[in-house]
Amino acid sequence: MKNRGRIVAFLLLIIILASTIIPTTNPILKDVKLGLDLQGGFEVLYQVKPLKDGQKITESTVADTARALTNRIDVLGVSEPSIQIESNNRIRVQLAGVEDQESARELLSTQANLSFRDADDNLMLDGKDLKEGKAKANFDENNNPVVTLEMKDPNKFGDVTSQIVQKKPDNMLVIWLDFKEGENSFKEEAMKPEPAFISAPYVSKTINSSNVEISGNFSVEETKDLAGILNAGALPVDLEEIYSTSVGAQFGEQALDKTVFAGIIGVSLIFIFMALYYRLPGVIAVVTLSVYIYLILLVFTKINGVLTLPGIAALMLGVGMAVDANIITYERIKEELRVGKSVKSSFAAGAKSSFTAILDANVTTLLAAVVLFIFGTSSVKGFATMLIISILVSFLTAVWGSRLLLGLLVHSGSLDGKVGWFGLSKKAVHSADEGYETLDLTTKFDRLDFVSVRKRFYTISIVLLIVGAIMLGVFKLNLGIDFSGGTRVEVLAEQTLDETAVTKQLEDIGHPTSDVVISGDTKNIAVARYKEDFTQEEVNSIKRELQAVYGAEPNVSTVSSTVGKELVRNAIYALAIAALGIIIYVALRFEWRMGLAAIIGLLHDAFFMIAVFSILRLEVDITFIAAVLTIIGYSINDTIVTFDRIRENLNRSKHIDNADELALIVNKSLRQTLGRSVNTVLTVIFVVVALMMLGAESIKPFSIALLIGLLAGTYSSILISAQLWFDMKKKQITKSGGLKVEKEKKQWGSDEPVV
């Protein structure tokens, strides 16, 4: 008997979801904060150093410096700046959407120590003699832009001007910003066309006034900036740039458009596949995946997250991973239907039996994402943040949401006997009278004997790894500046670029390099690398020169050797901790042999990715580590689902007498999960290939790493990890004369949601 109330509840839920999502999506998208790589801007990591000999850098000193930088950024009018203190002696500044990056960087790094000196560079007055917050942008009697100041003691200013008058003909009061003892000299600077001092007015009489006017060759904007920086206060320390990256606005806009388009294509392919292959459950998965994307963006805006290019990739990958939970559940339901159970019983049993595999898979991926967040920097943290949110939200939508919606239809009775709605033909369904269990079902892969040919795959893997190691030893890794240090310049042009022409152009502007690579769909992007990390002045210079030639502001990133070494160390720590955490978790949830086999498979995948990158000469940067950790988390999903089925098949046997019986169990388990493995990796590949083919140029190496890792991970889960476990278990059987299997009581279960 059909329960119309549940059908009505299902339709009402769909209407509520649609009426909530459709009108609120655009406002949420407008609230999403874009990172530097999507709207342009720059990021600088400053090393805080003493300004004077003997000065100690304390936490309060660094905090005061961060506050001073915040005040200066307020002068720029930048919305939502990011200023973070790191390691108690570093400050990371991120400013997105800044149009004049050169002026902004100068404004941040200048000491803002104002001083008044005579022509012999003797200090007469400094910033301590000025009233705080009284600097103003103004105009003189000739309507020229000036900055006006107010002295604390007009009598002191009178005494100083009296002394200057007596020094004729050198009766100048020289005004300096950040005068450097032993380096700057008025007499030397006065001979230059662009002197380092602000101005040097002649003083012809004593001035007993508290009002001081600084004039010079200023623009209106420059007087506003100077007044603002003087009011913000001088920095109590010296700031040294040890890492910086700047992204031109055109690069950011193009990257956003291309990557979003690639993501839409990839996600659409997943939706089509799910609807065609799984029919009604697939359509419900499409609904919950749409809710998943909406919730991700909503949560991300609520926590004031900054969306970066890798963050978009994480969101799209999250869709592929979220669908994994649906596939595991739907495959289980189909198995229950095939043994002749009713739709209601199949739904309940499939939902319950799939829960532990879904939970274990999500926990291990979450572990890798958390490690990535802890050890990652800037855009990689954005990727990790999005991945963490994706995992948590996907658990809500794919596990609870999908079961709620499908459960309403199942318990309404409208699907009774309609196995075709679940993507099954009636020929594949056995009668309940035949007494089949799900573990007895035949599969499309029953001819495959994985265990008997395992040594061939061991040999193939060993040969590939040896060749990879040799190639790695010969070619080394093509390390990006993240790890090797140096400078990377990326040029975007409207026309096709030529390597020889770009190399000559760089030589003509005084920055020669032989390391120039042309890329892009129309060969309109040139990437030049330098072993030296450029100074702020060199960065500003090369950006001005290249923008004048090519019409677009280039991207320039610099990494000091110190930061490069730290990134290498953090990458090793991240991989080691993630691997250790996963092996401990798998060992606790299953057994130590499965944990060891899983980690060997993961090391196999990671090394395979590294070897391929070495052979193809692809650049290895910090996003490559993000890709490796993502694959570690994703590959373990496959392995866990396989081990979960092996454990289930083992529990049917009270005693295993020999290796042949164990081989039968392993083969059967692999055949039963192979369809699920193919489907899940296929859905993620849809997104990865779309990002690789249609996404921004800067994310393509990341996408290639993911594709290699996905294929290697699927291969190792089936043909390496499971086979290694078999060999270890085989030794145990040989040693003990058999294996007594104690059926484990499941610690977690899952009932379908009840409405």
Side-chain angles (χ1 to χ4, degrees):
M1 182 178 175
K2 294 181 181 179
N3 187 330
R4 295 184 184 277
R6 292 181 184 270
I7 297 175
V8 171
F10 173 83
L11 294 173
L12 280 174
L13 272 176
I14 297 296
I15 292 169
I16 291 169
L17 289 172
S19 59
T20 302
I21 292 172
I22 293 171
T24 57
T25 298
N26 276 337
I28 289 174
L29 289 174
K30 289 178 181 177
D31 288 339
V32 173
K33 296 172 190 172
L34 299 179
L36 308 178
D37 50 2
L38 294 177
Q39 65 166 318
F42 70 91
E43 173 184 348
V44 182
L45 180 62
Y46 292 112
Q47 180 79 47
V48 179
K49 292 193 168 184
L51 188 60
K52 300 174 183 177
D53 292 338
Q55 180 185 6
K56 291 185 178 180
I57 303 299
T58 63
E59 287 186 24
S60 61
T61 306
V62 178
D64 290 341
T65 306
R67 277 193 291 272
L69 289 174
T70 302
N71 293 335
R72 293 184 180 193
I73 291 169
D74 291 341
V75 174
L76 291 170
V78 177
S79 60
E80 304 295 342
S82 173
I83 300 178
Q84 299 171 326
I85 295 174
E86 299 180 2
S87 306
N88 292 327
N89 63 346
R90 290 178 179 176
I91 300 174
R92 187 181 297 274
V93 179
Q94 293 175 315
L95 300 181
V98 178
E99 293 182 6
D100 189 352
Q101 295 185 20
E102 181 178 342
S103 298
R105 288 177 72 163
E106 288 179 0
L107 187 67
L108 285 175
S109 59
T110 183
Q111 292 296 319
N113 286 315
L114 190 69
S115 62
F116 298 79
R117 298 173 182 268
D118 62 17
D120 296 321
D121 302 326
N122 296 310
L123 179 64
M124 310 301 289
L125 296 165
D126 60 20
K128 295 175 184 176
D129 297 306
L130 302 173
K131 287 186 178 180
E132 293 181 6
K134 295 296 183 180
K136 294 179 182 178
N138 219 322
F139 295 92
D140 62 12
E141 62 272 9
N142 297 319
N143 210 31
N144 294 318
V146 296
V147 176
T148 58
L149 308 171
E150 196 170 330
M151 289 286 175
K152 290 179 180 177
D153 184 0
N155 294 326
K156 185 174 182 180
F157 191 60
D159 293 340
V160 168
T161 51
S162 295
Q163 294 176 45
I164 297 294
V165 169
Q166 295 171 12
K167 295 192 176 187
K168 285 184 180 181
D170 295 328
N171 53 327
M172 288 88 73
L173 183 61
V174 188
I175 304 172
W176 292 85
L177 192 66
D178 296 340
F179 179 87
K180 294 180 180 178
E181 296 284 353
E183 291 184 26
N184 294 133
S185 166
F186 167 71
K187 291 177 180 176
E188 289 181 8
E189 292 295 328
M191 305 296 291
K192 298 178 181 179
E194 293 185 8
F197 55 82
I198 297 175
S199 62
Y202 281 92
V203 180
S204 56
K205 61 180 180 179
T206 301
I207 304 172
N208 291 306
S209 173
S210 60
N211 295 320
V212 180
E213 184 180 280
I214 302 176
S215 59
N217 190 22
F218 293 132
S219 67
V220 175
E221 283 300 316
E222 286 172 338
T223 58
K224 289 180 180 178
D225 287 346
L226 180 56
I229 198 172
L230 292 175
N231 287 332
L235 294 178
V237 294
D238 184 28
L239 295 180
E240 179 189 350
E241 284 190 12
I242 56 173
Y243 170 89
S244 73
T245 183
S246 63
V247 180
Q250 286 173 284
F251 265 105
E253 185 180 351
Q254 187 185 81
L256 179 62
D257 293 342
K258 292 182 73 173
T259 306
V260 168
F261 176 71
I264 290 171
I265 296 297
V267 171
S268 298
L269 289 173
I270 291 175
F271 284 2
I272 293 168
F273 172 80
M274 290 298 292
L276 291 177
Y277 192 86
Y278 290 103
R279 308 294 173 84
L280 178 62
V283 172
I284 289 174
V286 170
V287 173
T288 56
L289 287 171
S290 302
V291 175
Y292 156 83
I293 295 172
Y294 174 81
L295 289 176
I296 289 286
L297 294 173
L298 180 63
V299 171
F300 204 67
T301 54
K302 293 300 180 185
I303 65 171
N304 290 319
V306 178
L307 187 63
T308 61
L309 203 56
I312 295 177
L315 173 61
M316 304 312 168
L317 278 172
V319 175
M321 292 180 176
V323 84
D324 186 27
N326 292 112
I327 289 174
I328 292 173
T329 303
Y330 297 161
E331 289 290 341
R332 287 283 193 169
I333 292 172
K334 286 169 72 174
E335 286 176 350
E336 300 292 342
L337 287 170
R338 285 185 62 195
V339 298
K341 289 185 180 180
S342 68
V343 171
K344 290 177 185 176
S345 299
S346 299
F347 172 74
K352 187 173 183 178
S353 60
S354 63
F355 184 77
T356 51
I358 295 170
L359 179 66
D360 290 334
N362 277 275
V363 168
T364 50
T365 309
L366 185 63
L367 178 63
V370 169
V371 170
L372 194 57
F373 179 82
I374 293 170
F375 289 96
T377 58
S378 54
S379 62
V380 175
K381 276 189 185 290
F383 172 82
T385 303
M386 184 63 82
L387 198 58
I388 291 168
I389 296 171
S390 298
I391 293 165
L392 297 176
V393 173
S394 71
F395 201 77
L396 175 69
T397 57
V399 175
W400 187 80
S402 294
R403 295 181 187 189
L404 172 64
L405 292 173
L406 187 57
L408 285 170
L409 293 179
V410 166
H411 291 290
S412 72
S414 58
L415 299 179
D416 289 349
K418 297 177 181 177
V419 294
W421 287 61
F422 291 84
L424 275 176
S425 66
K426 289 188 177 181
K427 293 180 181 179
V429 178
H430 295 275
S431 169
D433 297 333
E434 295 180 50
Y436 270 90
E437 291 187 25
T438 55
L439 299 177
D440 299 322
L441 292 170
T442 58
T443 70
K444 299 174 185 177
F445 313 103
D446 283 346
R447 293 183 180 180
L448 300 178
D449 186 350
F450 299 100
V451 175
S452 65
V453 294
R454 68 189 185 283
K455 291 183 180 178
R456 293 182 192 175
F457 291 106
Y458 289 166
T459 304
I460 291 171
S461 287
I462 290 169
V463 169
L464 287 174
L465 292 176
I466 290 173
V467 170
I470 293 170
M471 299 295 280
L472 189 60
V474 173
F475 293 111
K476 310 294 182 186
L477 281 174
N478 180 21
L479 293 176
I481 62 168
D482 288 343
F483 298 127
S484 63
T487 302
R488 186 178 190 272
V489 181
E490 192 173 9
V491 177
L492 175 67
E494 294 181 359
Q495 71 278 12
T496 301
L497 295 174
D498 176 70
E499 183 181 332
T500 306
V502 173
T503 303
K504 187 176 185 307
Q505 182 65 52
L506 290 169
E507 188 176 343
D508 291 344
I509 64 175
H511 294 286
T513 179
S514 58
D515 190 352
V516 176
V517 177
I518 306 297
S519 61
D521 298 332
T522 58
K523 301 296 181 184
N524 65 330
I525 296 175
V527 177
R529 294 202 310 182
Y530 299 85
K531 292 181 180 179
E532 309 81 23
D533 51 310
F534 284 9
T535 63
Q536 182 179 322
E537 291 74 20
E538 288 174 318
V539 170
N540 292 337
S541 170
I542 197 169
K543 288 183 75 171
R544 278 196 304 270
E545 297 279 0
L546 292 177
Q547 186 171 8
V549 174
Y550 298 106
E553 189 176 9
N555 297 346
V556 182
S557 300
T558 65
V559 180
S560 69
S561 57
T562 303
V563 174
K565 290 174 183 175
E566 288 177 6
L567 289 173
V568 171
R569 186 175 66 245
N570 286 344
I572 294 170
Y573 284 164
L575 291 171
I577 291 171
L580 183 63
I582 288 170
I583 192 172
I584 291 172
Y585 182 82
V586 174
L588 290 174
R589 289 288 293 120
F590 295 90
E591 63 159 346
W592 69 266
R593 293 177 188 84
M594 286 183 172
L596 181 59
I599 215 66
I600 292 172
L602 294 182
L603 292 174
H604 167 279
D605 301 341
F607 186 80
F608 195 76
M609 291 170 70
I610 293 169
V612 171
F613 260 58
S614 173
I615 294 167
L616 298 179
R617 307 309 299 149
L618 295 170
E619 188 175 76
V620 175
D621 56 14
I622 196 68
T623 58
F624 175 78
I625 302 302
V628 172
L629 279 171
T630 305
I631 290 303
I632 283 177
Y634 189 79
S635 178
I636 198 69
N637 290 6
D638 242 359
T639 308
I640 281 175
V641 171
T642 303
F643 284 160
D644 189 62
R645 184 56 67 97
I646 289 174
R647 181 172 61 181
E648 195 173 342
N649 279 313
L650 276 174
N651 288 338
R652 294 187 68 197
S653 306
K654 293 182 179 179
H655 195 277
I656 297 173
D657 297 314
N658 52 57
D660 290 338
E661 290 182 24
L662 185 65
L664 187 65
I665 288 172
V666 172
N667 274 326
K668 182 184 284 189
S669 302
L670 290 173
R671 292 170 195 147
Q672 289 168 344
T673 56
L674 188 58
R676 171 263 166 202
S677 297
V678 171
N679 286 348
T680 51
V681 78
L682 189 62
T683 54
V684 182
I685 283 177
F686 285 151
V687 175
V688 172
V689 171
L691 288 171
M692 193 170 70
M693 302 295 290
L694 304 171
E697 195 67 29
S698 58
I699 209 169
K700 286 187 179 179
F702 174 77
S703 304
I704 292 170
L706 285 175
L707 181 61
I708 296 166
L710 283 169
L711 297 175
T714 305
Y715 167 85
S716 68
S717 296
I718 298 167
L719 302 171
I720 302 297
S721 297
Q723 311 307 325
L724 286 172
W725 176 83
F726 168 80
D727 282 326
M728 286 187 281
K729 209 69 177 173
K730 180 182 173 183
K731 287 183 180 179
Q732 183 187 358
I733 292 172
T734 304
K735 188 176 180 180
S736 60
L739 183 66
K740 185 179 179 182
V741 181
E742 294 182 8
K743 188 170 182 178
E744 297 178 15
K745 186 179 180 181
K746 287 204 173 184
Q747 298 177 22
W748 295 296
S750 172
D751 296 320
E752 70 276 8
V754 178
V755 178

